[in-house]
């Protein structure tokens, strides 16, 4: 993907190398990353899946100390990449959301961190993988996640990484559409199987919205290169719940899925990419998930 010409976002805060003020020492980075990868794919990712109250209470070291990172566009290659992909999602969603959903797009913030940091949803650790916190409307990303994707799943490439960022931004779009709060409320009232089912719908919608970003971005900016779509599909496939459960040596138990199977993740991503519409991503009103 030729992302160098994308506009860098000004909504990035760079906290890499800062650690948590007053926090305990970090976990071993290897452990953290492995946990994180599985966590991202298995549903720790959107902490939106636990209640708002729990999320607020989730920060064990309190939430009163404000942490200030460097604002503005990072200058290193990886930081610039994240900032430009985020900037491109802003440009695309600012155009698409009013047109398709009659809503103004207010972009999320993005915090780049290494190891651990604070979030509006409690302490954030690399172990959790990239995630979106609806309470402070911020995407949290430790860029070492991308190396770990490559190492563990042998999937990667700029467009695959962009898909990961766009998926988190997809959760923000769901939030702006009022879907997240409704789902969270519903999740309080139902049993585990249905809670997981709701989670799968939220995740597949985020995959689809990532596709909507990619499709509309491509129409306007023509930045994709041969093999890019296959790359993102391979990433989506590698992190399907069934695939991960099998890798974990267990049987595949669909009721326990929280993100969807490999086939579903790839299919919804492509649905968004090819259809290009938010309406086409309604995983709550579909006969076939
Ligand atoms: Zn997600």
């Amino acid at each position: 993907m030729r992302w160098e010409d994308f506009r860098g976002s000004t909504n990035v805060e760079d906290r890499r190398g800062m650690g948590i003020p007053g926090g305990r020492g970090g976990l071993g980075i290897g452990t953290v990353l492995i946990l994180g990868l599985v966590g991202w794919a298995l549903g720790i990712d959107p902490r939106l899946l636990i209640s708002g109250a729990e999320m607020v209470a989730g920060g064990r070291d309190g939430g009163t100390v404000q942490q200030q990172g460097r604002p503005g566009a990072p200058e290193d290659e990886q930081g610039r990449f994240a900032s430009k992909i985020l900037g491109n999602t802003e440009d695309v969603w600012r155009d698409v959301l009013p047109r398709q959903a009659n809503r103004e797009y207010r972009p999320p913030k993005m915090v780049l961190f290494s190891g651990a940091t604070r979030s509006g949803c409690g302490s954030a650790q690399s172990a959790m993988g990239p995630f979106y916190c609806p309470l402070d409307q911020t995407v949290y990303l430790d860029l070492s996640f991308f190396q770990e994707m490559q190492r563990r799943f042998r999937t990667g490439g700029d467009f695959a990484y962009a898909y990961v960022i766009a998926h988190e931004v997809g959760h923000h779009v769901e939030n702006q559409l009022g879907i997240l709060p409704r789902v969270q409320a519903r999740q309080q009232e139902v049993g585990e199987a249905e809670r997981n089912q709701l989670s799968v719908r939220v995740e597949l919608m985020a995959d689809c919205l990532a596709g909507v970003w990619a499709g509309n971005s491509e129409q306007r900016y023509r930045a994709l290169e041969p093999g890019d779509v296959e790359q993102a599909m391979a990433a989506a496939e590698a992190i399907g719940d069934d695939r991960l459960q099998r890798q974990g040596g267990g049987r595949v138990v669909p009721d326990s899925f929280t993100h969807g199977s490999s086939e579903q993740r790839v299919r919804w991503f492509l649905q968004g990419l090819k259809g290009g519409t938010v309406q086409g991503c309604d995983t709550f009103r579909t006969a076939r998930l």
Side-chain angles (χ1 to χ4, degrees), residues 40 45-46 167-168 171 203 206 259 265:
W40 186 72
D45 145 42
H167 171 100
E168 300 308 331
H171 285 311
E203 292 305 324
H259 276 65
R265 297 200 73 164

Side-chain angles (χ1 to χ4, degrees), residues 53-208:
E54 278 167 339
M55 285 191 293
V56 174
R60 271 169 304 177
D61 16 43
T64 48
V65 182
Q66 284 296 316
Q67 192 172 11
Q68 279 297 319
R70 294 173 294 276
E75 280 166 21
D76 61 301
E77 161 118 4
Q78 279 206 316
R80 274 192 304 116
F81 171 76
S83 147
K84 281 171 181 276
I85 298 300
L86 184 67
N88 192 254
T89 65
E90 290 166 358
D91 293 343
V92 168
W93 281 118
R94 268 205 193 102
D95 166 54
V96 168
L97 213 59
R99 247 185 325 111
Q100 295 189 3
N102 201 18
R103 230 169 257 249
E104 191 193 337
Y105 183 62
R106 294 184 311 276
K109 299 220 170 310
M110 175 187 272
V111 167
L112 300 178
F113 71 101
S114 52
T117 193
R118 287 181 202 289
S119 85
C121 296
S123 303
Q125 299 203 326
S126 307
M128 293 154 51
F131 71 97
Y132 171 70
C133 171
L135 296 182
D136 58 10
Q137 306 201 23
T138 300
V139 172
Y140 289 85
L141 176 63
D142 183 332
L143 289 162
S144 56
F145 181 76
F146 295 148
Q147 274 110 57
E148 195 62 14
M149 262 172 82
Q150 212 163 41
R151 206 176 65 75
R152 297 262 300 168
F153 295 137
R154 313 212 185 301
T155 76
D158 291 340
F159 189 53
Y161 306 144
Y163 151 72
V164 169
I165 293 173
H167 171 100
E168 300 308 331
V169 171
H171 285 311
H172 179 69
V173 173
E174 293 176 309
N175 199 14
Q176 297 242 288
L177 292 172
I179 292 166
L180 283 193
R182 282 208 302 278
V183 171
Q184 280 182 297
R186 178 83 187 126
Q187 282 181 319
Q188 310 275 334
E189 300 163 357
V190 298
E192 193 185 352
E194 196 179 333
R195 204 158 46 235
N196 289 343
Q197 185 63 219
L198 287 165
S199 165
V200 168
R201 289 180 197 274
V202 166
E203 292 305 324
L204 293 177
M205 187 186 286
D207 284 336
C208 184

